[in-house]
Amino acid sequence: MILVLAGGVGAARFIEGLVQVVPPETITAVVNTGDDMELHGLKISPDLDIVTCTLADLIDREQGWGIIGDTDECMSWLVKLGGPGWFKLGDRDLALHIRRTAMLREGRTLSEVADSFRQALGVAVRIMPMSDDPVPTHILTDAGEMHFEEYFVRHRAQNEVRGVRYVGVGKARPAPGLLELIATAEVILIAPSNPVVSVGPILAIPGVREAIMASPAPVVTVSPIVGGAAIKGPAAPLMRAVGLEVSAVGAAKAYAGLLDGIVIDQVDAHLAQQIEALGVRVAVTDTIMRGPAEKANLARVALQLAEARPAAV
Ligand code: FO1
């Protein structure tokens, strides 16, 4: 079984490559819930929905989030009635949050909700949250502490980032079965997601990092930074804020002690030696996931790097 630590858009696209290379049933995505929040009285799980709806081919590919062809009737009325309008929730998208809120209120867990949604939408890849406990990611900014989505969406990442906090992570438990999956996985892949606010929360759940260290599975990531910039999202200011250089080297250092290999883009080939000096094997390819072929190639290169045995010493 292949375990993928996943954030949102980049991770979803990477898994779309994986399902072309290995049977989807052999893949489990462990998804960040640090972006989760309550809005309009509804429980919203952006990364779980992005991964699920992308793999169901229901995602709005322009945006990378939201449901294709969605409308905003309800949203426009919510605003008319005085509700917050900064986080765009389409009519179909709202069904996910209404149903999730109802199921949680009936006492179901977030893991059960995620699994029932992916089955209802015909997704063969298993999808689970990193934890069933809330671990909202807060960004410490010049304008004070705020939820990641307030920073990223409401204030369009304009604030200066001074720090990141995974609220309540110390008492969060790994999702049921997660530690066993880490121990028994053939390969552990860290998707090209934001190392700080997408993968960081998963690794910060007590027991997860230790389980990965103890697992015999090779650990391979794909750098989300290409040519010194993020493909999408606020990885750059967030990496800088936690002292990581915004480069493929910084991406390798973000997972220090866990990585066996990293896939970097051709434009960063000159960084390979520096990364190998960290004890991390490097594969170089075109990591820009323009279409299905590039996604499949990237997944293939990552798996080959994972299977490559260390050079005979
Ligand atoms: N991102 C935005 O930039 N603006 C939005 O209005 C927005 C709405 C939204 C609704 C549902 C959902 O699942 C994701 C949504 N996102 C939106 C994406 C989200 O802010 C981030 O991309 C992820 O949380 C980061 O992976």
Side-chain angles (χ1 to χ4, degrees):
M1 194 273 309
I2 294 168
L3 197 58
V4 187
L5 307 191
V9 183
R13 291 177 176 155
F14 177 63
I15 300 170
E16 283 192 300
L18 272 175
V19 297
Q20 298 178 59
V21 178
V22 296
E25 299 77 20
T26 65
I27 302 167
T28 297
V30 183
V31 181
N32 168 48
T33 59
D35 299 2
D36 290 17
M37 63 176 165
E38 189 155 318
L39 217 53
H40 311 287
L42 299 172
K43 298 278 190 182
I44 298 171
S45 297
D47 282 349
L48 278 168
D49 289 348
I50 288 169
V51 172
T52 304
C53 294
T54 299
L55 295 176
D57 198 16
L58 292 169
I59 203 79
D60 177 323
R61 291 198 177 277
E62 289 290 299
Q63 291 179 145
W65 49 267
I67 311 293
I68 185 132
D70 212 345
T71 45
D72 61 358
E73 288 299 310
C74 190
M75 194 73 220
S76 60
W77 272 70
L78 283 166
V79 170
K80 194 198 300 275
L81 295 167
W86 56 272
F87 200 72
K88 302 295 173 227
L89 296 164
D91 297 323
R92 295 176 188 167
D93 202 38
L94 279 162
L96 292 164
H97 315 309
I98 293 167
R99 182 76 187 124
R100 176 183 301 112
T101 305
M103 289 175 77
L104 291 172
R105 201 166 285 159
E106 288 160 14
R108 313 288 289 279
T109 64
L110 188 59
S111 295
E112 288 168 337
V113 173
D115 193 53
S116 82
F117 280 18
R118 65 104 187 164
Q119 295 200 48
L121 298 178
V123 175
V125 171
R126 284 172 40 180
I127 297 171
M128 61 190 296
M130 65 189 192
S131 171
D132 284 336
D133 303 317
V135 188
T137 298
H138 283 194
I139 308 296
L140 313 180
T141 77
D142 54 317
E145 181 171 338
M146 60 179 84
H147 186 278
F148 167 73
E149 296 289 7
E150 295 251 4
Y151 158 76
F152 179 53
V153 178
R154 187 172 197 179
H155 300 293
R156 286 186 304 285
Q158 296 304 307
N159 290 95
E160 180 206 326
V161 180
R162 294 186 176 152
V164 181
R165 211 154 73 83
Y166 309 135
V167 179
V169 72
K171 50 184 187 305
R173 290 154 296 173
L178 176 55
L179 297 185
E180 293 73 32
L181 283 169
I182 292 171
T184 58
E186 285 148 63
V187 182
I188 298 174
L189 297 174
I190 301 179
S193 296
N194 186 315
V196 181
V197 292
S198 296
V199 179
I202 302 173
L203 298 177
I205 301 286
V208 170
R209 180 179 281 272
E210 296 78 2
I212 294 174
M213 308 265 286
S215 172
V219 180
V220 166
T221 191
V222 175
S223 174
I225 304 295
V226 174
I231 300 295
K232 186 176 177 63
L238 290 164
M239 286 175 77
R240 269 193 288 275
V242 299
L244 285 167
E245 61 181 275
V246 184
S247 70
V249 178
K253 287 180 177 172
Y255 309 128
L258 297 178
L259 278 187
D260 295 292
I262 183 169
V263 183
I264 66 175
D265 194 84
Q266 286 146 346
V267 303
D268 294 317
H270 61 287
L271 298 173
Q273 229 165 6
Q274 205 179 329
I275 295 171
E276 279 158 351
L278 301 170
V280 178
R281 295 199 308 282
V282 177
V284 180
T285 191
D286 173 8
T287 63
I288 309 298
M289 297 184 275
R290 287 176 201 82
E294 289 85 0
K295 293 172 187 173
N297 168 66
L298 183 56
R300 201 173 287 117
V301 169
L303 288 171
Q304 281 162 358
L305 184 59
E307 277 137 28
R309 290 283 155 246
V313 290

